[in-house]
Amino acid sequence: MESSDVQRGRGRSPFDLIMNQIRRKRTTSDRKSTSGRFLSRQAESGGLPEDREAEEERDGAGVVPGPTDPAESVCDMGWGRVCVFVKRLGKRADSRTLSLAHCDLTATDVLELATLLPSLSLLEEMDLSWNELIGGCLRSLTSHLQNVGGLRTLRLSCCRLTADDITALGEALKCVPMLEVLDLSWNAGIGGSALQGIVGKLHPTLRELYLVACQLTETDATILGGIVSVLPRLCVLDASCNPLLAHTQTEAEDGSMSKTEPGKGSVWGLGGLVPSLSHTPSLTTLRLHDCGLTTQSLGLLGGSFHCLRSLCQLDLSCNKGVAGGLSLLSPHLALLSHLGGLDLHLCCLTHTDLQALIQALPSLTELTELDLSSNKEVGGVVSDIVSALPLSQIKLLPLNGCSLNQESLSALALAMPYLQCIDVSWSKMVGGRLALLLEALQPSATQELRLSSCDLTTVDLLHLAVVCKRGVLSSLRVLDLSYNGGVGEEGWCGLLGEGGLGSLEELDLSLRPLTSKPSLLTSNPSPLTWLPTLLSAFPHLPALTRLSLQRWTLTAQEREQVNHALRKRKVLLELDPVPFASSANQEGLEEERNEE
């Protein structure tokens, strides 16, 4: 008995034996639950699926089967196994790119993938993102990374990675000396010093590092500083959505830490990271969105700009703690001669902050994108901002949620001919004055036009219709007219009936929540008279991929008409659920569309 066991295991590694045991122990219920995804290992003719894959490839290439080297046969069988594994996950096999994101991978899948890596020696990119069930078992894969030594991109975002996973990854990084991109975003288990596992393990070849939403703390900021200090070729560093990263603390007499104003004994949150940026002269993109930055953080960051002269994109948005401290950063912006994008939206900027920024803008000669949206004080200084910008090259200047006034609109009109994306949403002042902005548009320049919640009137939409008819918006891809309940049916019909939107991909005509036209509560709503015009406009919107009509009440007949018009098109249709008895009919219509 023992000799037979040994004979069956002869020539096979302990890892393979363990794999076979795991496969044998899988319950019948497990196999049944995944039968829709996993292909049978045995071909109907008695052959192996991988054999058929290899034969199909040979037939497609016009190769005549003949005597082959045993090593080549083994290689073909290995690639066949890869094809079967990838195919049952709904993906297509590629010798250089392995994209298995959103595949509901399990620990067993990871084990099997590890055995396939020897057949993927040419692999350059591996993406296992958004597979939350593989957290805690990454070691079974990383222990085989030596088989894909040419790997350049590794994405493991949202995999519920643990500290042990990061340690295992760090131990294996020496096997992938050509790695250029590492994405560990959306893994909360990384926060709290787990990053220590990759300190000193990354090769100088790394160019992009993503650590978005990893619950990084001030301690992690210091660890991250140690990581980037040995990455001279790093171009992109994204540590966004880590609100505790720049948390300012001070040490009390009892040794405890508490949040205080900087002073004696204080530890500035970014103090462990910013100095290390001097070792990344190639850095072009720095994203610190929602990182809990303070005014002191801006001072530290500004002091490092003399070492970051290659920086092109700087994102400091959603850091309300920087309010009142932009004067500590603005004088250093002149050092960033290549800065093309600056994002400061939702930072509670004060009038003093904006004045400091305006003084620095003329020195940013390559600036093409400036995002100051959701800062209410901006509305009062739009004229000064526009005057300080290099208008001929500005492509993006969103001013949504900026409390615009009449003077602001007049100043914005000067920049309209150059902007690709225009966003003045949540500005009631636009209502009744849209023509002022539309008249400044240049043909084929605008790609996005967002006018959500602007109190637009019927006359405003008729002006927009005229502009569309002239072909000025022929390149428009996104049109957002949501939350403008004051527009009459004449306005909707005028816009939808004029054409001129052949490139439009997204159209949002939704109403504000708790609002409907006609009443959402009526059991027999009246048909919308502008809907036939919309239906007749569909053939003139060949690029449309999304249509939102939320909070509009449609009869069962109208819903059927919309579904029928879009039956053969891949358009995301956003409607409110049908109340009461009509819901079953709507579900049937949607199922019919999906089946076709």
Side-chain angles (χ1 to χ4, degrees):
M1 187 69 181
E2 292 180 359
S3 61
S4 62
D5 290 340
V6 172
Q7 186 175 1
R8 285 197 299 269
R10 183 177 301 166
R12 308 176 70 178
S13 67
F15 183 83
D16 290 331
L17 295 177
I18 293 174
M19 279 292 300
N20 288 333
Q21 292 174 7
I22 292 176
R23 292 194 184 97
R24 287 197 295 270
K25 289 181 180 179
R26 292 187 64 190
T27 63
T28 303
S29 60
D30 288 338
R31 293 174 183 175
K32 183 177 181 180
S33 64
T34 57
S35 61
R37 197 180 85 183
F38 288 82
L39 301 179
S40 173
R41 294 284 182 181
Q42 189 70 25
E44 294 180 1
S45 61
L48 292 173
E50 48 263 36
D51 293 336
R52 296 202 311 276
E53 294 276 355
E55 290 175 4
E56 291 175 1
E57 290 184 4
R58 286 196 299 266
D59 293 341
V63 178
V64 178
T68 59
D69 185 90
E72 292 181 359
S73 299
V74 172
C75 182
D76 289 341
M77 291 181 63
W79 176 246
R81 289 180 59 210
V82 172
C83 293
V84 172
F85 177 79
V86 174
K87 185 176 180 180
R88 77 187 186 204
L89 295 172
K91 302 291 185 176
R92 188 179 182 86
D94 188 308
S95 62
R96 297 186 182 277
T97 302
L98 183 64
S99 179
L100 300 179
H102 299 279
C103 284
D104 295 325
L105 297 180
T106 64
T108 303
D109 294 324
V110 174
L111 283 170
E112 184 170 1
L113 175 59
T115 66
L116 299 176
L117 291 186
S119 301
L120 291 167
S121 58
L122 299 179
L123 196 64
E124 295 181 358
E125 179 175 351
M126 184 189 301
D127 187 355
L128 305 181
S129 300
W130 303 96
N131 289 290
E132 297 187 347
L133 298 180
I134 69 176
C137 63
L138 194 63
R139 185 178 294 274
S140 60
L141 178 67
T142 58
S143 60
H144 293 262
L145 285 184
Q146 70 273 11
N147 295 299
V148 287
L151 195 66
R152 295 179 181 274
T153 300
L154 179 59
R155 301 186 186 279
L156 296 167
S157 61
C158 199
C159 290
R160 292 194 178 184
L161 300 184
T162 64
D164 182 66
D165 290 326
I166 300 302
T167 300
L169 176 62
E171 295 171 353
L173 286 176
K174 63 179 181 295
C175 301
V176 283
M178 302 175 66
L179 192 66
E180 296 180 352
V181 179
L182 179 61
D183 189 351
L184 301 176
S185 300
W186 303 97
N187 287 291
I190 292 180
S193 303
L195 278 179
Q196 191 69 47
I198 60 174
V199 173
K201 304 297 178 62
L202 290 167
H203 293 270
T205 55
L206 196 75
R207 298 175 60 85
E208 301 179 19
L209 178 60
Y210 300 92
L211 295 167
V212 179
C214 290
Q215 293 190 9
L216 301 183
T217 64
E218 179 187 5
T219 301
D220 294 312
T222 302
I223 297 175
L224 182 56
I227 294 174
V228 303
S229 64
V230 293
L231 301 175
R233 300 181 187 177
L234 189 68
C235 294
V236 179
L237 176 60
D238 192 346
S240 299
C241 301
N242 289 290
L244 299 180
L245 188 66
H247 194 59
T248 304
Q249 296 180 326
T250 187
E251 185 174 0
E253 293 181 359
D254 60 358
S256 63
M257 302 297 289
S258 60
K259 186 176 180 180
T260 68
E261 293 298 324
K264 185 177 181 180
S266 67
V267 180
W268 290 355
L270 291 183
L273 170 61
V274 173
S276 298
L277 296 179
S278 61
H279 300 285
T280 59
S282 300
L283 195 67
T284 60
T285 301
L286 177 60
R287 298 192 182 103
L288 296 174
H289 164 93
D290 188 20
C291 283
L293 302 186
T294 64
T295 55
Q296 289 74 29
S297 302
L298 294 185
L300 282 172
L301 192 58
S304 68
F305 284 171
H306 67 282
C307 300
L308 301 176
R309 296 181 183 272
S310 298
L311 201 64
C312 297
Q313 297 289 330
L314 178 60
D315 184 354
L316 305 178
S317 59
C318 295
N319 287 290
K320 297 181 179 181
V322 304
L326 204 58
S327 59
L328 300 175
L329 179 77
S330 296
H332 303 282
L333 289 175
L335 298 173
L336 306 179
S337 57
H338 299 291
L339 191 66
L342 177 60
D343 193 345
L344 293 168
H345 81 265
L346 198 59
C347 284
C348 295
L349 299 181
T350 65
H351 183 76
T352 303
D353 289 328
L354 294 170
Q355 291 299 327
L357 176 62
I358 290 171
Q359 293 179 14
L361 288 179
S363 63
L364 303 179
T365 56
E366 296 191 13
L367 194 68
T368 60
E369 302 177 3
L370 177 61
D371 191 346
L372 299 175
S373 60
S374 300
N375 288 291
K376 294 183 177 181
E377 293 293 329
V378 170
V381 295
V382 172
S383 178
D384 294 335
I385 292 174
V386 170
S387 299
L389 288 172
L391 284 186
S392 60
Q393 62 191 44
I394 289 294
K395 304 301 180 184
L396 180 65
L397 182 63
L399 295 174
N400 50 295
C402 287
S403 300
L404 301 181
N405 53 38
Q406 179 71 42
E407 183 183 357
S408 302
L409 296 181
S410 300
L412 179 59
L414 299 176
M416 292 286 281
Y418 310 102
L419 299 179
Q420 293 180 353
C421 302
I422 300 169
D423 190 348
V424 290
S425 299
W426 305 96
S427 300
K428 308 302 182 184
M429 184 60 63
V430 176
R433 301 174 180 82
L434 185 59
L436 176 64
L437 300 179
L438 296 178
E439 291 173 358
L441 293 176
Q442 293 296 314
S444 303
T446 308
Q447 297 182 9
E448 295 186 17
L449 180 58
R450 300 184 183 275
L451 302 167
S452 177
S453 191
C454 285
D455 273 357
L456 298 183
T457 65
T458 299
V459 175
D460 288 326
L461 255 66
L462 292 177
H463 280 300
L464 183 57
V466 172
V467 172
C468 291
K469 186 177 182 179
R470 294 205 312 260
V472 175
L473 297 177
S474 59
S475 298
L476 193 68
R477 295 184 295 103
V478 178
L479 178 59
D480 185 355
L481 299 173
S482 61
Y483 298 2
N484 286 291
V487 176
E489 293 172 352
E490 181 184 359
W492 297 119
C493 290
L495 173 65
L496 298 171
E498 291 297 342
L501 295 172
S503 299
L504 194 66
E505 299 176 5
E506 298 184 21
L507 176 61
D508 195 340
L509 306 178
S510 300
L511 294 175
R512 188 183 302 276
L514 304 181
T515 306
S516 63
K517 294 286 184 173
S519 174
L520 182 63
L521 302 178
T522 57
S523 57
N524 297 304
S526 302
L528 299 177
T529 57
W530 58 268
L531 187 59
T533 307
L534 173 63
L535 297 177
S536 63
F538 284 155
H540 305 291
L541 300 172
L544 191 67
T545 59
R546 173 179 172 265
L547 173 63
S548 183
L549 296 171
Q550 296 184 72
R551 262 80 65 183
W552 285 98
T553 303
L554 305 181
T555 64
Q557 181 181 2
E558 290 169 338
R559 287 175 177 266
E560 184 176 0
Q561 290 175 341
V562 174
N563 277 278
H564 180 76
L566 300 176
R567 194 182 305 274
K568 296 181 180 180
R569 299 177 57 176
K570 295 182 179 181
V571 178
L572 174 62
L573 179 61
E574 298 178 358
L575 294 173
D576 284 345
V578 180
F580 309 117
S582 301
S583 59
N585 183 41
Q586 172 64 11
E587 291 177 0
L589 290 172
E590 292 179 353
E591 290 178 0
E592 183 179 354
R593 283 188 62 200
N594 293 333
E595 289 176 358
E596 297 190 2

